[in-house]
Amino acid sequence: FPFILVNIGSGVSIVKVDGTDKFERISGSALGGGTFWGLCNLLCPDCKEFSEASCLAVAGDASKLNLLVEDIYGGDYELTGGRKLPGNLVASFFAKAGRGSKERDDAAILNALITMISQNICQIAFLNSRLHS
């Protein structure tokens, strides 16, 4: 103790746990599993089960849809002090959608979607861990 518990359901609850009987909800988000499933139904109507959509997402290549640092700078982006942003870092989710190939790729769509939601949840959890030590 202490730790941050991230409970992902339809939405997300962020709970600070200070002991077995000492905890409080400190934050949350409406962006969660319900968001993923709702958008799955809109974007990939052939997916009938959450588990099917999740498995399809694992097989997808989101770089077909997401704008990456390397798409902007041709590779890694060098920062001051010798650090760099890796070329495969997402600069903008779904920014390539509608460009280039018009062939539908449900696996890529679902991979981009689950990555977007997961990264946002992780960012919210990280920031709350900083705010609440």
Side-chain angles (χ1 to χ4, degrees), residues 54-77:
S54 298
C55 288
L56 195 55
V58 170
D61 177 9
S63 68
K64 296 175 182 179
L65 297 170
N66 294 337
L67 185 68
L68 306 178
V69 167
E70 66 190 13
D71 296 323
I72 299 168
Y73 298 106
D76 296 342
Y77 178 72

Side-chain angles (χ1 to χ4, degrees), residues 15-131:
V15 179
K16 182 180 180 190
V17 181
D18 288 311
T20 55
D21 293 325
K22 189 174 180 189
F23 52 89
E24 70 173 310
R25 184 181 190 278
I26 55 173
S27 187
S29 174
L31 192 70
T35 307
F36 175 71
W37 184 236
L39 288 171
C40 282
N41 287 311
L42 289 173
L43 298 171
C44 304
D46 291 338
C47 277
K48 301 299 181 204
E49 300 287 332
F50 189 91
S51 60
E52 176 190 3
S54 298
C55 288
L56 195 55
V58 170
D61 177 9
S63 68
K64 296 175 182 179
L65 297 170
N66 294 337
L67 185 68
L68 306 178
V69 167
E70 66 190 13
D71 296 323
I72 299 168
Y73 298 106
D76 296 342
Y77 178 72
E78 300 293 329
L79 299 167
T80 56
R83 298 180 8 227
K84 61 182 167 182
L85 294 176
N88 65 349
L89 184 71
V90 176
S92 181
F93 290 103
F94 290 99
K96 291 190 216 173
R99 298 183 194 174
S101 174
K102 300 298 181 194
E103 184 177 321
R104 181 175 184 82
D105 184 345
D106 286 351
I109 291 168
L110 295 178
N111 184 284
L113 179 61
I114 204 164
T115 302
M116 178 182 71
I117 292 168
S118 300
Q119 284 188 9
N120 276 274
I121 292 169
C122 289
Q123 185 69 24
I124 292 166
F126 172 78
L127 292 173
N128 273 281
S129 73
R130 293 291 197 166
L131 284 171

